[in-house]
């Protein structure tokens, strides 16, 4: 790999913030009404990539593995949802070099229940109040946060199905900022990233919940092998080991 200049590195990390968070995917069907849906994933709809004018491509962005969910508020009620999460994506540099990226951190969302509208449909106004993610990209500590000055709003539409499951449609328009110096300075994105909800996490080897088992999932397991990192612990045993690797290899190439 050729040595990255500081300008190129800055472009990559800015693209990472705008691309990974500015991802989207279609809605999904979930086993219950809790928010955020535990098997839910936010991911890109545009063939899983985002192209930037400087030639950098962001592929397979996925924001998932929400650690805490709760029932939605009643009509007229407001709740503050706080939960941890993981974000993964793949950065393709202009020279073709591919850099996988993993971040984790906490998110705070306000959910407000609206009066009943369509029959059997519940609607909620949402606003992401905070998002603080941290990870390492090309050996450099990177922090990504939701803008403290621009509102990141969205909504949720929920319908109970005869099967007992719930159809949940959700989107956010999220303004993000990235820091390359541990939070001393922040670089804002030039536009809000539109994100939508999908049911992820299938099949079993789909580590990042983007609906396909591919080299990103394999890289996540290999990069955390021998640790207790929950991102690579596919079977939830408390250790990333050959069993987790075998699950990914078994499901490699499968999608849902």
């Amino acid at each position: 790999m050729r040595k990255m200049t500081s300008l190129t590195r800055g472009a990559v990390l800015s693209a990472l913030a705008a691309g990974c968070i500015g991802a989207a995917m279609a809605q999904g069907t979930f086993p219950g009404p809790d928010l955020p849906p535990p098997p839910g994933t936010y991911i890109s709809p545009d063939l899983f990539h985002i192209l930037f004018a400087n030639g950098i491509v962001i592929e397979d962005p996925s924001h998932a593995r929400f650690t805490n969910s709760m029932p939605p508020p009643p009509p007229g009620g407001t709740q503050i949802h706080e939960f941890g999460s993981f974000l993964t994506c793949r950065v393709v540099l202009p020279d073709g070099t591919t850099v996988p990226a993993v971040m984790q951190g906490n998110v705070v969302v306000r959910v407000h229940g609206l009066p009943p509208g369509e029959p059997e449909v519940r609607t909620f106004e949402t606003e992401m109040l905070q998002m603080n993610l941290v990870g390492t990209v090309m050996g450099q500590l990177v922090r990504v946060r939701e803008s403290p000055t621009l509102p990141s709003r969205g909504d949720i539409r929920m319908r109970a199905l005869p099967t007992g499951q719930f159809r949940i449609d959700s989107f956010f328009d999220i303004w993000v900022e990235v820091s390359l110096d541990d939070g001393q300075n922040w670089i804002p994105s030039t536009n809000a990233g539109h994100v939508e909800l999908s049911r992820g996490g299938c099949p079993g080897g789909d580590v990042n919940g983007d609906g396909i088992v591919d080299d990103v999932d394999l890289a996540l397991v290999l990069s955390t092998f021998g640790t207790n990192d929950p991102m690579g612990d596919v079977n939830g045993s408390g250790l990333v080991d050959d069993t987790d690797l075998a699950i990914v290899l078994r499901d490699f190439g499968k999608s849902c």
Side-chain angles (χ1 to χ4, degrees):
M1 180 187 299
R2 65 180 176 85
K3 185 177 181 180
M4 301 293 296
T5 66
S6 59
L7 177 61
T8 304
R9 176 172 293 186
V12 170
L13 298 177
S14 296
L16 172 66
C20 289
I21 307 300
M25 192 174 178
Q27 64 282 347
T29 300
F30 300 90
D34 289 359
L35 302 173
T41 301
Y42 288 90
I43 197 169
S44 171
D46 299 323
L47 300 179
F48 305 105
H49 77 274
I50 300 173
L51 176 64
F52 292 83
N54 57 4
I56 292 174
V57 178
I58 302 296
E59 297 181 335
D60 292 341
S62 176
H63 195 187
R65 296 209 174 187
F66 310 122
T67 60
N68 183 41
S69 299
M70 58 191 302
T78 300
Q79 292 176 345
I80 302 297
H81 292 190
E82 301 185 31
F83 49 90
S85 64
F86 282 85
L87 185 144
T88 67
C89 63
R90 184 167 51 202
V91 181
V92 183
L93 307 180
D95 65 355
T97 302
T98 300
V99 183
V102 181
M103 294 186 174
Q104 65 183 95
N106 296 322
V107 179
V108 179
V109 175
R110 179 170 56 217
V111 181
H112 176 71
L114 297 179
E118 299 178 39
E120 302 180 0
V121 176
R122 295 196 59 194
T123 305
F124 308 87
E125 290 180 340
T126 59
E127 181 177 356
M128 182 175 290
L129 303 177
Q130 295 180 36
M131 179 178 64
N132 295 291
L133 306 176
V134 62
T136 302
V137 179
M138 296 182 297
Q140 180 168 348
L141 183 70
V142 181
R143 293 186 179 275
V144 172
R145 71 179 182 183
E146 189 271 336
S147 170
T149 58
L150 298 174
S152 298
R153 298 192 175 102
D155 75 11
I156 298 170
R157 291 168 57 85
M158 181 184 302
R159 180 191 298 270
L161 302 177
T163 59
Q165 296 179 309
F166 289 80
R167 182 73 173 185
I168 302 177
D169 305 325
S170 173
F171 81 87
F172 282 93
D173 291 319
I174 306 175
W175 293 91
V176 298
E177 298 179 351
V178 62
S179 174
L180 313 180
D181 54 12
D182 201 19
Q184 296 184 47
N185 296 282
W186 293 90
I187 304 169
S189 60
T190 58
N191 61 286
H194 182 74
V195 301
E196 298 179 5
L197 176 67
S198 173
R199 174 165 182 148
C202 55
D206 182 19
V207 180
N208 67 347
D210 67 354
I212 186 170
V213 182
D214 58 9
D215 55 349
V216 175
D217 303 295
L218 183 59
L220 289 173
V221 172
L222 292 176
S223 65
T224 57
F225 198 87
T227 73
N228 62 355
D229 190 330
M231 193 63 203
D233 185 14
V234 181
N235 64 351
S237 67
L239 177 67
V240 183
D241 57 12
D242 53 357
T243 301
D244 303 294
L245 181 59
I247 293 173
V248 173
L249 293 176
R250 178 200 66 193
D251 294 339
F252 200 86
K254 294 181 180 179
S255 61
C256 61

